[in-house]
Amino acid sequence: MKKNTTKIVLLFFVFSLFILTVPQKAKSEELIHKTKLISLVNQARKKIGLSDVSSNEKLQETAKNRLKDMQKKKYFSHLSPDNKNIKFFLQESNYKMILAGENLAKNFTNEEELNSAWLNSFLHRRIIMGPIYKDIGIASGWTEINQKNHYITVMVLGLEK
C-alpha cells in the first residue's frame, strides 16, 4: 500500500510540474511574427495600388513601449489609465511624425486571422490602408487584464518628417 501511495504522490508531483511549466513556456513565445504580419499588410496594400510600409526601428520601439505599458498597468485601450495615447509613445521613441495610426488586437495568435480581422474592420482598415504611411512597428506579448491572460498585438504605422 505504501509503495502505491508513493507512486501516486510522485506521479501527481511530476504532473503538477508539467502543468506549471508548459503555460509559462507558451507565454514567453512570440505567437505573432512581425515579419509575416508586415508581409500580409503589404500584400493587402499592393492589391489597391499602395506602396509597401517598412519596419522602422523607432516605431518598433514605440509599439514595444506601448505593449510594456499595457503589461505593467494591465489595460487594453488606445488610452492608458494615466491618459497617455500613441502620441506620447511616439515622442518617447523620438519618432517625429507627420501622421501616425495605431491598431490594437487581443487574443489573436495567428497572423492571417489577425490581419483579416483588421481588414474587415472599417477603422482598422483605414489605418492599414493609409496611403501616406511609409513606416510600421509591431510588438506582441502576453499580459494580464482583469485576472485573465491575454495575447496583445500593437501595430503602429506612420510617416516621419
Side-chain angles (χ1 to χ4, degrees), residues 32-89:
I32 296 292
H33 297 91
K34 63 183 174 195
T35 307
K36 187 172 182 180
L37 188 53
I38 291 170
S39 175
L40 291 168
V41 164
N42 284 329
Q43 286 173 30
R45 290 173 63 87
K46 278 181 188 160
K47 284 181 184 176
I48 63 166
L50 296 175
S51 61
D52 285 357
V53 289
S54 301
S55 182
N56 176 286
E57 254 183 71
K58 292 176 189 173
L59 285 189
Q60 283 301 130
E61 185 181 340
T62 300
K64 241 184 268 181
N65 289 343
R66 167 63 103 179
L67 177 65
K68 285 180 186 175
D69 192 65
M70 286 188 203
Q71 290 168 324
K72 181 180 174 185
K73 297 173 185 160
K74 300 181 180 192
Y75 71 96
F76 177 76
S77 175
H78 292 284
L79 190 62
S80 73
D82 50 351
N83 292 318
K84 293 176 184 166
N85 62 21
I86 193 61
K87 189 174 180 182
F88 170 85
F89 296 98

Side-chain angles (χ1 to χ4, degrees), residues 61-141:
E61 185 181 340
T62 300
K64 241 184 268 181
N65 289 343
R66 167 63 103 179
L67 177 65
K68 285 180 186 175
D69 192 65
M70 286 188 203
Q71 290 168 324
K72 181 180 174 185
K73 297 173 185 160
K74 300 181 180 192
Y75 71 96
F76 177 76
S77 175
H78 292 284
L79 190 62
S80 73
D82 50 351
N83 292 318
K84 293 176 184 166
N85 62 21
I86 193 61
K87 189 174 180 182
F88 170 85
F89 296 98
L90 288 160
Q91 290 169 343
E92 192 177 59
S93 301
N94 203 30
Y95 186 83
K96 310 265 189 259
M97 70 160 195
I98 294 173
L99 189 65
E102 173 187 57
N103 281 342
L104 303 177
K106 184 166 55 169
N107 297 329
F108 283 89
T109 56
N110 174 287
E111 296 87 354
E112 288 87 359
E113 290 173 7
L114 171 56
N115 193 55
S116 178
W118 274 340
L119 291 174
N120 286 317
S121 161
F122 177 75
L123 293 175
H124 294 99
R125 182 181 180 84
R126 277 186 61 194
I127 291 171
I128 290 172
M129 299 303 193
I132 195 169
Y133 296 134
K134 302 291 179 213
D135 306 320
I136 190 170
I138 297 170
S140 57

